[in-house]
Amino acid sequence: MTGRLVRLAEAGRPPLAFRFDGEALTGLEGDTVLTAILSSRASLRPADFGPERRAGFCLMGACQDCWIWQEEGPRLRACSTPLRAGMRLLSDAPEGWPA
């Protein structure tokens, strides 16, 4: 699958493995969660209203377009959250959310 973002520089940083919707993906050390996901995927999550897919909007944490979930339940802003190895992320709310 082709990602929305194409990495043009800094490709030599150490890789970090993570999971998104159960799929194993790899980002690079220093990536935000949004950058890591959109380097492999065309979109981040479904829209709240309508059939569109979302891929981030403001890219600075001011809107709510990049909210995604951790498998444990809490949401995070993908545009401003640094990627960490082993993260387990979801594009849609986990079962039973909100608790």
Side-chain angles (χ1 to χ4, degrees), residues 12-77:
R13 292 182 278 136
L16 297 176
F18 69 103
R19 296 191 77 75
F20 185 59
D21 288 340
E23 181 182 355
L25 298 178
T26 303
L28 298 181
E29 186 176 276
D31 281 354
T32 64
V33 169
L34 182 68
T35 299
I37 292 170
L38 293 183
S39 292
S40 299
R41 295 266 187 102
S43 65
L44 185 64
R45 64 179 188 86
D48 292 327
F49 306 99
E52 303 85 13
R53 301 282 304 168
R54 308 306 299 170
F57 179 71
C58 75
L59 307 179
M60 62 182 194
C63 72
Q64 298 168 8
D65 209 48
C66 71
W67 281 107
I68 60 172
W69 289 262
Q70 299 172 68
E71 281 188 357
E72 304 82 38
R75 294 193 307 172
L76 58 80
R77 289 180 195 261

